[in-house]
Amino acid sequence: MAVVAYAPASIGNVSVGFDVLGAALAPIDGALLGDRVEVHEAEQAFSLSCRGRFAHKLPAEAEKNIVYDCYLGYAAALQLRGRTVRPLHMVLEKNLPIGSGLGSSASSIVAALEALNAFHDYALSKDEQLLLMGELEGKISGSVHYDNVAPCYLGGIQLMIEEEGVISQAVPDVESWYWVSCYPGISISTAEARAILPAQYRRSDCLTYGRRLAAFIHASHTGQAELAAAVLKDVIAEPYRQALIPGFNEARQHAAISGALATGISGSGPSIFVVMTDKQQALRMKEWLEANFIQNQDGFCHVCRIDRQGTTVTSI
Ligand SMILES: Nc1ncnc2c1ncn2[C@@H]1O[C@H](COP(=O)(O)OP(=O)(O)O)[C@@H](O)[C@H]1O
Ligand SMILES: N[C@@H](CCOP(=O)(O)O)C(=O)O
């Protein structure tokens, strides 16, 4: 018996909530936008193989793959409970590009830990798993942030709480919104895109950040879609990161005259997202981005809804 876990792509920050807001994505045409990890019974303690469109971009050595760290982290957590991991073989299907702003490392981490947990009859609780996921994401990007792993694991739009033992809670998403997500094909390291941000911010920016985030959460809970869209603006990362993304301003301008409610950088970029309510406009925006924003054959664009399911496990 083997298990396979799928973990969707996600938008970190969603413009208005740097490090504390994230959204999971599901393409409307049913395309797979996320990594998959299989766990098979085996003779030897651990082995890993990789396949998939972006497998060739992974580190050559299995020990440098975050999936291996997931295995070690999971084994250590089981040991604390007086249990040991079973001998197993893992297969990573790497469908998300690395350094894309689509929560690629988070997707591998969530799929790997969820597959490992299913293989061990869900020995760890959801909270224990999420803590471990955040720790492993921190290992890659340089600091713990849950805004990719939480939506990827739990689905929906998630707000990080990180107080009183609560890591994250769901925020209602606007049902009518389409999220056009476009990866231009180049790579930006999350750790480097974090390093260019200022260590301190002006008081006025802090106030604007807090006001807009609070307004977005309030508008989402009270069903005020227009207000929610109006405050989807970033004063923390976008002003510093947009220069790293060729064509970002042109894309935003085109989106604005094409019916977009909001445009932003997905995670640390270079992917961007455009929020629209009309499906035909969203499909036309996708075509425009494919023709004008994508830079090479690695790029792609999807019209998405919010993935409310998060990670899913099946037996194979
Ligand atoms: N399974 C994996 N998926 C993605 N990145 C991985 C994986 N294993 C190791 N890495 C390394 O982790 C780093 C991920 O970079 P990062 O910019 O954080 O990507 P992303 O923002 O797409 O998650 C890269 O150096 C990559 O080689
Ligand atoms: N909050 C993080 C999100 C990084 O997302 P990724 O998909 O680029 O890894 C940040 O903005 O640094």
Side-chain angles (χ1 to χ4, degrees):
M1 209 274 288
V3 292
V4 54
Y6 168 74
S10 53
I11 299 175
N13 306 327
V14 199
S15 294
V16 77
F18 183 76
D19 272 3
V20 299
L21 199 66
L25 293 176
I28 58 170
D29 61 3
L32 204 69
L33 188 60
D35 293 350
R36 284 157 37 117
V37 172
E38 297 171 8
V39 177
H40 298 259
E41 278 176 357
E43 303 275 297
Q44 70 186 102
F46 174 82
S47 56
L48 170 67
S49 60
C50 299
R51 61 167 189 248
R53 180 172 174 192
F54 292 102
H56 65 290
K57 300 269 171 105
L58 288 165
E61 306 91 324
E63 295 72 29
K64 290 199 178 144
N65 198 308
I66 193 69
V67 168
Y68 178 63
D69 295 300
C70 290
Y71 167 76
L72 295 181
Y74 190 81
L78 274 203
Q79 205 165 25
L80 285 176
R81 282 151 196 82
R83 289 186 55 179
T84 47
V85 275
R86 296 158 56 191
L88 53 86
H89 173 64
M90 298 181 82
V91 181
L92 166 63
E93 188 180 296
K94 190 69 208 166
N95 298 318
L96 291 181
I98 293 162
S100 55
L102 293 169
S104 168
S105 46
S107 176
S108 282
I109 291 167
V110 171
L113 285 175
E114 191 60 357
L116 283 166
N117 207 27
F119 194 68
H120 293 90
D121 299 322
Y122 294 95
L124 297 193
S125 70
K126 280 203 157 186
D127 278 354
E128 288 168 324
Q129 283 275 87
L130 193 49
L131 273 172
L132 196 49
M133 288 166 184
E135 215 177 278
L136 286 153
E137 177 78 317
K139 214 175 153 172
I140 277 200
S141 66
S143 65
V144 175
H145 59 93
Y146 291 93
D147 54 329
N148 288 117
V149 288
C152 179
Y153 182 41
L154 303 169
I157 296 186
Q158 294 284 330
L159 173 69
M160 305 319 125
I161 310 282
E162 296 176 66
E163 298 280 348
E164 298 284 319
V166 179
I167 299 174
S168 136
Q169 286 192 352
V171 176
D173 62 275
V174 180
E175 235 170 274
S176 58
W177 284 1
Y178 291 97
W179 301 71
V180 186
S181 166
C182 187
Y183 168 59
I186 59 169
S187 189
I188 291 180
S189 142
T190 305
E192 284 168 25
R194 293 178 80 79
I196 63 160
L197 299 180
Q200 288 171 333
Y201 286 88
R202 282 187 315 213
R203 185 190 301 169
S204 59
D205 286 337
C206 298
L207 296 177
T208 303
Y209 173 77
R211 179 173 54 74
R212 287 196 184 136
L213 178 58
F216 179 79
I217 302 301
H218 171 72
S220 299
H221 277 284
T222 51
Q224 302 182 72
E226 271 180 39
L227 179 60
V231 293
L232 273 181
K233 294 175 202 149
D234 179 12
V235 287
I236 301 292
E238 199 173 290
Y240 309 95
R241 287 176 171 172
Q242 60 187 356
L244 304 176
I245 306 174
F248 175 69
N249 281 328
E250 292 80 354
R252 190 218 285 283
Q253 277 163 21
H254 185 81
I257 56 166
S258 307
L261 301 180
T263 299
I265 298 175
S266 183
S268 62
S271 291
I272 62 168
F273 68 91
V274 179
V275 178
M276 300 184 121
T277 47
D278 183 276
K279 187 175 176 185
Q280 293 315 317
Q281 279 181 346
L283 290 167
R284 279 198 295 276
M285 188 70 215
K286 170 181 180 302
E287 274 173 25
W288 188 91
L289 288 167
E290 282 168 347
N292 297 282
F293 183 65
I294 288 180
Q295 298 192 18
N296 56 47
Q297 71 291 347
D298 281 341
F300 54 76
C301 189
H302 291 282
V303 177
C304 302
R305 290 290 203 185
I306 295 299
D307 178 328
R308 292 184 175 163
Q309 243 184 328
T311 187
T312 48
V313 177
T314 43
S315 301
I316 47 172

